[in-house]
Amino acid sequence: MSNPGETNDHPIENMEQLVEVLSRGCKPESAWRIGTEHEKFGFVRPEAARGRTPFSPPPYSPDGIEAILRALLGDGSAWQAIEDRGALIGLKGHGLEAGRSISLEPAGQFELSGAPLATLHETAAEMAAHFAALRAPSEALGLGFAPLGFQPLWPRDAMPMMPKSRYAIMRRYMPEVGALGLDMMKRTCTVQVNLDFADEADMARKMRVSLALQPLATALFANSPFCDGRPNGYLSNRARIWTDTDNARSGMPECVFEDGFGFARYVEWALDVPMYFVVRDGTLIDVAGRSFRAWLDGRETGVLAELTPTVGDFEDHLTTVFPDVRLKQFLEMRGADAGTPDMMVAQSALWVGLLYDAPTLMAAEALVREQPWDVYRTLRGEVPARAMEADFPGGLRALARRVVTLAAQGLAARGLGEDRYLDPLFAIAEGGPTQAEHWLSLYHGAWQGDVTPIFAAAAI
């Protein structure tokens, strides 16, 4: 992800400039890559609590998230510091870590944004290397990390807040536009894969297919059945949170399914998403709720009336829209809970298989068009509670079998032996439990109603 302020300061003179921001992402197939991002919750290991509350989330400082970042930064040979008003909030890779970055979600959820990689084997290796690098400084501090879709134990108010200017703006604004936005910020973790497109038509086809199938992905990767130490009634509580976070900037935008969808139509949609901030001289200015379109048209008042909108402002704005599939200069798949390493690699494998082989993509498009788009929108509302048991014509597991089989076909066409990464999804499609159902069976069985064992069981 780009950092606010590191963008184009050329004034916006016409809509073509904004379309060009997106169209710069067009790449020949030979240049298509796989970028995987994954988040995990920190926790205090009970055997090394040192007076701290076992399983509690680590603070920014002392002996918390900042210390881990500084340990990874080391002598600066592989990572460069990213700071916000003097606070260390992330790392940018160079040298051996080139193309990667480490960032912090609002409550210290630790995120690796992976490098653009050629194969899923590289994705799996990158993930394993990151986890290995994180273990040593974490263990030295008595901490662990667990990728789960929702914080299973601690209430929102017990979660720390990272010193990141953007998050202060979001924390103020979120309660104005949804009941669960602060939970999204502080108590959720996801895994995403970022994928390329050849041209506008290829982008539109991939966007439609992947957006329609995000609810299926939510069901397959459901991994957040607990809240405040007990079952919450959902299998993907993370997905449920997104239904009442900020619906003006999230969900399944209707424009994607309309005839003629392309870069310009996405720009039009994004211009009507309320703003969060603008950056001037390295400082974020809170303009949350104001209209980018009105600003462009000279109709905004206050501080925006004194500022000229730039291409960089629009690029920053694109990072503040959160549809289930987000278009920047690549496509971000955003529908899955964080989970076990093999499931997080499977998430990348699913979308690479479906979208990176042309015959498979065409077959996937034909499959999703068997149902009206409204069926998928309805499914999005049902899968948080029911996951693979949600209603779908012919059954959701039947759809899963067809979709995962297509993904395997697409991976086989790449000829790289990557289709084995789909094995966990085939197991679920054939009737096996989701991650959430696995944890619930332990909670009601061996764990005897105690959720705390999930931290060690899910730890990387």
Short mmCIF file of all heavy atoms in Angstrom, two decimals, residues 79-121:
data_model
loop_
_atom_site.label_atom_id
_atom_site.label_comp_id
_atom_site.label_asym_id
_atom_site.label_seq_id
_atom_site.Cartn_x
_atom_site.Cartn_y
_atom_site.Cartn_z
N TRP A 79 15.20 -3.36 6.06
CA TRP A 79 13.97 -2.60 6.27
C TRP A 79 14.29 -1.14 6.53
O TRP A 79 15.32 -0.83 7.15
CB TRP A 79 13.18 -3.15 7.47
CG TRP A 79 12.71 -4.56 7.33
CD1 TRP A 79 13.29 -5.68 7.85
CD2 TRP A 79 11.54 -5.01 6.61
NE1 TRP A 79 12.56 -6.79 7.51
CE2 TRP A 79 11.48 -6.41 6.76
CE3 TRP A 79 10.55 -4.36 5.89
CZ2 TRP A 79 10.47 -7.18 6.20
CZ3 TRP A 79 9.54 -5.13 5.32
CH2 TRP A 79 9.50 -6.51 5.48
N GLN A 80 13.41 -0.28 6.07
CA GLN A 80 13.48 1.14 6.38
C GLN A 80 12.29 1.52 7.23
O GLN A 80 11.19 0.99 7.06
CB GLN A 80 13.47 1.97 5.09
CG GLN A 80 14.67 1.75 4.19
CD GLN A 80 14.54 2.48 2.86
OE1 GLN A 80 13.44 2.75 2.40
NE2 GLN A 80 15.67 2.80 2.26
N ALA A 81 12.50 2.44 8.16
CA ALA A 81 11.44 2.85 9.08
C ALA A 81 10.39 3.70 8.36
O ALA A 81 10.72 4.53 7.51
CB ALA A 81 12.03 3.63 10.24
N ILE A 82 9.13 3.49 8.71
CA ILE A 82 8.02 4.36 8.31
C ILE A 82 7.50 5.02 9.59
O ILE A 82 7.13 4.32 10.53
CB ILE A 82 6.90 3.58 7.62
CG1 ILE A 82 7.41 2.85 6.37
CG2 ILE A 82 5.74 4.52 7.25
CD1 ILE A 82 6.39 1.92 5.74
N GLU A 83 7.52 6.33 9.61
CA GLU A 83 7.13 7.04 10.82
C GLU A 83 5.95 7.97 10.57
O GLU A 83 5.71 8.41 9.44
CB GLU A 83 8.31 7.86 11.36
CG GLU A 83 9.49 7.00 11.80
CD GLU A 83 10.60 7.81 12.44
OE1 GLU A 83 10.62 9.05 12.26
OE2 GLU A 83 11.45 7.21 13.13
N ASP A 84 5.22 8.22 11.63
CA ASP A 84 4.09 9.15 11.61
C ASP A 84 4.25 10.05 12.82
O ASP A 84 4.13 9.60 13.97
CB ASP A 84 2.77 8.36 11.69
CG ASP A 84 1.54 9.25 11.52
OD1 ASP A 84 1.63 10.45 11.81
OD2 ASP A 84 0.48 8.72 11.12
N ARG A 85 4.59 11.32 12.57
CA ARG A 85 4.82 12.29 13.65
C ARG A 85 5.81 11.75 14.69
O ARG A 85 5.64 11.88 15.88
CB ARG A 85 3.51 12.68 14.31
CG ARG A 85 2.53 13.39 13.38
CD ARG A 85 1.24 13.76 14.07
NE ARG A 85 0.54 12.57 14.53
CZ ARG A 85 -0.65 12.59 15.13
NH1 ARG A 85 -1.26 13.75 15.36
NH2 ARG A 85 -1.23 11.48 15.52
N GLY A 86 6.87 11.12 14.18
CA GLY A 86 7.93 10.63 15.04
C GLY A 86 7.73 9.24 15.59
O GLY A 86 8.66 8.67 16.19
N ALA A 87 6.56 8.65 15.40
CA ALA A 87 6.29 7.31 15.90
C ALA A 87 6.56 6.29 14.80
O ALA A 87 6.16 6.48 13.64
CB ALA A 87 4.85 7.20 16.38
N LEU A 88 7.22 5.20 15.15
CA LEU A 88 7.48 4.12 14.20
C LEU A 88 6.19 3.34 14.00
O LEU A 88 5.67 2.73 14.94
CB LEU A 88 8.58 3.21 14.74
CG LEU A 88 8.99 2.03 13.85
CD1 LEU A 88 9.58 2.52 12.53
CD2 LEU A 88 10.00 1.14 14.60
N ILE A 89 5.65 3.35 12.78
CA ILE A 89 4.36 2.70 12.52
C ILE A 89 4.44 1.63 11.45
O ILE A 89 3.43 1.01 11.12
CB ILE A 89 3.29 3.73 12.12
CG1 ILE A 89 3.74 4.49 10.86
CG2 ILE A 89 2.99 4.68 13.26
CD1 ILE A 89 2.61 5.20 10.15
N GLY A 90 5.62 1.38 10.90
CA GLY A 90 5.73 0.36 9.87
C GLY A 90 7.14 0.27 9.34
O GLY A 90 8.03 1.03 9.73
N LEU A 91 7.35 -0.67 8.43
CA LEU A 91 8.65 -0.90 7.81
C LEU A 91 8.46 -1.09 6.32
O LEU A 91 7.51 -1.75 5.87
CB LEU A 91 9.31 -2.15 8.40
CG LEU A 91 9.52 -2.19 9.92
CD1 LEU A 91 10.03 -3.56 10.34
CD2 LEU A 91 10.46 -1.09 10.37
N LYS A 92 9.37 -0.53 5.55
CA LYS A 92 9.37 -0.70 4.11
C LYS A 92 10.61 -1.50 3.73
O LYS A 92 11.72 -1.15 4.10
CB LYS A 92 9.39 0.65 3.40
CG LYS A 92 9.37 0.56 1.88
CD LYS A 92 9.34 1.95 1.26
CE LYS A 92 9.31 1.87 -0.27
NZ LYS A 92 9.29 3.23 -0.89
N GLY A 93 10.40 -2.58 3.00
CA GLY A 93 11.49 -3.47 2.67
C GLY A 93 12.36 -2.96 1.54
O GLY A 93 11.91 -2.29 0.62
N HIS A 94 13.64 -3.28 1.62
CA HIS A 94 14.57 -3.06 0.51
C HIS A 94 15.61 -4.17 0.59
O HIS A 94 15.64 -4.98 1.52
CB HIS A 94 15.20 -1.67 0.57
CG HIS A 94 16.05 -1.40 1.77
ND1 HIS A 94 17.41 -1.42 1.75
CD2 HIS A 94 15.71 -1.12 3.06
CE1 HIS A 94 17.89 -1.16 2.96
NE2 HIS A 94 16.87 -0.97 3.78
N GLY A 95 16.47 -4.25 -0.39
CA GLY A 95 17.43 -5.34 -0.42
C GLY A 95 16.72 -6.68 -0.49
O GLY A 95 15.87 -6.90 -1.36
N LEU A 96 17.00 -7.57 0.46
CA LEU A 96 16.38 -8.89 0.46
C LEU A 96 14.87 -8.82 0.70
O LEU A 96 14.15 -9.77 0.37
CB LEU A 96 17.03 -9.77 1.53
CG LEU A 96 18.50 -10.16 1.28
CD1 LEU A 96 19.04 -10.95 2.47
CD2 LEU A 96 18.63 -10.97 0.00
N GLU A 97 14.39 -7.74 1.27
CA GLU A 97 12.96 -7.60 1.56
C GLU A 97 12.27 -6.65 0.59
O GLU A 97 11.16 -6.18 0.85
CB GLU A 97 12.74 -7.11 3.00
CG GLU A 97 13.27 -8.05 4.07
CD GLU A 97 12.47 -9.34 4.17
OE1 GLU A 97 11.38 -9.43 3.57
OE2 GLU A 97 12.94 -10.26 4.86
N ALA A 98 12.89 -6.35 -0.53
CA ALA A 98 12.33 -5.40 -1.49
C ALA A 98 10.93 -5.81 -1.92
O ALA A 98 10.65 -6.99 -2.18
CB ALA A 98 13.25 -5.29 -2.70
N GLY A 99 10.05 -4.82 -2.01
CA GLY A 99 8.68 -5.06 -2.44
C GLY A 99 7.73 -5.38 -1.32
O GLY A 99 6.51 -5.42 -1.53
N ARG A 100 8.24 -5.62 -0.11
CA ARG A 100 7.40 -5.95 1.03
C ARG A 100 7.26 -4.74 1.95
O ARG A 100 8.10 -3.85 1.95
CB ARG A 100 7.98 -7.12 1.82
CG ARG A 100 8.11 -8.40 1.01
CD ARG A 100 8.73 -9.53 1.81
NE ARG A 100 8.76 -10.75 1.01
CZ ARG A 100 9.75 -11.08 0.19
NH1 ARG A 100 10.82 -10.30 0.10
NH2 ARG A 100 9.69 -12.18 -0.53
N SER A 101 6.23 -4.75 2.77
CA SER A 101 6.11 -3.75 3.82
C SER A 101 5.39 -4.38 5.00
O SER A 101 4.64 -5.35 4.86
CB SER A 101 5.36 -2.51 3.34
OG SER A 101 4.02 -2.82 3.00
N ILE A 102 5.66 -3.84 6.17
CA ILE A 102 4.98 -4.24 7.40
C ILE A 102 4.26 -3.02 7.93
O ILE A 102 4.83 -1.94 8.03
CB ILE A 102 5.98 -4.77 8.44
CG1 ILE A 102 6.58 -6.11 7.97
CG2 ILE A 102 5.31 -4.94 9.80
CD1 ILE A 102 7.69 -6.63 8.85
N SER A 103 2.98 -3.19 8.22
CA SER A 103 2.19 -2.07 8.70
C SER A 103 1.35 -2.52 9.89
O SER A 103 1.27 -3.71 10.20
CB SER A 103 1.29 -1.52 7.59
OG SER A 103 0.44 -2.54 7.09
N LEU A 104 0.74 -1.56 10.56
CA LEU A 104 -0.05 -1.82 11.75
C LEU A 104 -1.50 -1.43 11.50
O LEU A 104 -1.78 -0.32 11.06
CB LEU A 104 0.48 -1.02 12.94
CG LEU A 104 1.95 -1.20 13.29
CD1 LEU A 104 2.32 -0.29 14.45
CD2 LEU A 104 2.28 -2.65 13.60
N GLU A 105 -2.39 -2.34 11.79
CA GLU A 105 -3.80 -2.00 11.82
C GLU A 105 -4.09 -1.24 13.14
O GLU A 105 -3.22 -1.16 14.01
CB GLU A 105 -4.65 -3.26 11.70
CG GLU A 105 -4.55 -3.93 10.32
CD GLU A 105 -5.00 -3.02 9.19
OE1 GLU A 105 -6.16 -2.55 9.23
OE2 GLU A 105 -4.19 -2.76 8.28
N PRO A 106 -5.27 -0.69 13.31
CA PRO A 106 -5.49 0.26 14.41
C PRO A 106 -5.14 -0.24 15.81
O PRO A 106 -4.65 0.53 16.63
CB PRO A 106 -6.98 0.58 14.28
CG PRO A 106 -7.24 0.48 12.81
CD PRO A 106 -6.41 -0.69 12.37
N ALA A 107 -5.40 -1.51 16.11
CA ALA A 107 -5.12 -2.01 17.46
C ALA A 107 -3.82 -2.81 17.52
O ALA A 107 -3.61 -3.56 18.46
CB ALA A 107 -6.27 -2.87 17.96
N GLY A 108 -2.97 -2.62 16.54
CA GLY A 108 -1.69 -3.31 16.54
C GLY A 108 -1.70 -4.63 15.80
O GLY A 108 -0.71 -5.38 15.86
N GLN A 109 -2.82 -4.96 15.10
CA GLN A 109 -2.79 -6.14 14.26
C GLN A 109 -1.61 -5.98 13.28
O GLN A 109 -1.49 -4.96 12.61
CB GLN A 109 -4.09 -6.30 13.48
CG GLN A 109 -5.35 -6.36 14.35
CD GLN A 109 -6.08 -5.04 14.43
OE1 GLN A 109 -5.46 -4.00 14.73
NE2 GLN A 109 -7.37 -5.04 14.16
N PHE A 110 -0.77 -6.98 13.25
CA PHE A 110 0.50 -6.90 12.52
C PHE A 110 0.29 -7.42 11.11
O PHE A 110 -0.15 -8.55 10.92
CB PHE A 110 1.52 -7.78 13.25
CG PHE A 110 2.91 -7.25 13.25
CD1 PHE A 110 3.30 -6.26 14.15
CD2 PHE A 110 3.87 -7.75 12.38
CE1 PHE A 110 4.60 -5.79 14.18
CE2 PHE A 110 5.16 -7.28 12.39
CZ PHE A 110 5.55 -6.30 13.29
N GLU A 111 0.60 -6.59 10.11
CA GLU A 111 0.31 -6.96 8.72
C GLU A 111 1.57 -7.00 7.89
O GLU A 111 2.38 -6.07 7.91
CB GLU A 111 -0.66 -5.95 8.10
CG GLU A 111 -0.97 -6.24 6.63
CD GLU A 111 -1.96 -5.28 6.01
OE1 GLU A 111 -2.28 -4.25 6.63
OE2 GLU A 111 -2.41 -5.56 4.88
N LEU A 112 1.72 -8.07 7.15
CA LEU A 112 2.73 -8.13 6.09
C LEU A 112 2.04 -7.92 4.76
O LEU A 112 1.08 -8.63 4.42
CB LEU A 112 3.45 -9.48 6.06
CG LEU A 112 4.43 -9.62 4.88
CD1 LEU A 112 5.69 -8.78 5.11
CD2 LEU A 112 4.81 -11.07 4.62
N SER A 113 2.49 -6.92 4.01
CA SER A 113 2.07 -6.76 2.62
C SER A 113 3.18 -7.36 1.77
O SER A 113 4.27 -6.81 1.69
CB SER A 113 1.85 -5.28 2.28
OG SER A 113 0.78 -4.75 3.04
N GLY A 114 2.90 -8.49 1.19
CA GLY A 114 3.94 -9.25 0.51
C GLY A 114 4.39 -8.62 -0.79
O GLY A 114 3.72 -7.78 -1.38
N ALA A 115 5.55 -9.06 -1.24
CA ALA A 115 6.10 -8.61 -2.51
C ALA A 115 5.29 -9.18 -3.68
O ALA A 115 4.63 -10.22 -3.53
CB ALA A 115 7.55 -9.04 -2.63
N PRO A 116 5.32 -8.55 -4.83
CA PRO A 116 4.70 -9.13 -6.02
C PRO A 116 5.51 -10.36 -6.46
O PRO A 116 6.67 -10.24 -6.87
CB PRO A 116 4.77 -8.02 -7.06
CG PRO A 116 5.09 -6.77 -6.29
CD PRO A 116 5.88 -7.21 -5.11
N LEU A 117 4.91 -11.53 -6.36
CA LEU A 117 5.61 -12.79 -6.59
C LEU A 117 5.03 -13.52 -7.80
O LEU A 117 3.88 -13.33 -8.16
CB LEU A 117 5.51 -13.68 -5.35
CG LEU A 117 6.06 -13.05 -4.05
CD1 LEU A 117 5.75 -13.95 -2.86
CD2 LEU A 117 7.56 -12.81 -4.18
N ALA A 118 5.84 -14.38 -8.38
CA ALA A 118 5.45 -15.06 -9.62
C ALA A 118 4.64 -16.32 -9.37
O ALA A 118 3.83 -16.72 -10.20
CB ALA A 118 6.69 -15.39 -10.45
N THR A 119 4.87 -17.01 -8.23
CA THR A 119 4.22 -18.29 -7.99
C THR A 119 3.67 -18.38 -6.58
O THR A 119 4.10 -17.68 -5.67
CB THR A 119 5.21 -19.46 -8.20
OG1 THR A 119 6.11 -19.52 -7.08
CG2 THR A 119 5.99 -19.30 -9.49
N LEU A 120 2.75 -19.30 -6.39
CA LEU A 120 2.21 -19.56 -5.06
C LEU A 120 3.23 -20.24 -4.16
O LEU A 120 3.16 -20.12 -2.94
CB LEU A 120 0.95 -20.41 -5.18
CG LEU A 120 -0.26 -19.68 -5.79
CD1 LEU A 120 -1.33 -20.66 -6.22
CD2 LEU A 120 -0.83 -18.67 -4.80
N HIS A 121 4.18 -20.96 -4.76
CA HIS A 121 5.25 -21.53 -3.95
C HIS A 121 6.05 -20.41 -3.27
O HIS A 121 6.41 -20.52 -2.10
CB HIS A 121 6.18 -22.38 -4.83
CG HIS A 121 5.49 -23.46 -5.59
ND1 HIS A 121 4.67 -24.40 -4.99
CD2 HIS A 121 5.48 -23.75 -6.92
CE1 HIS A 121 4.20 -25.22 -5.91
NE2 HIS A 121 4.67 -24.85 -7.08
#
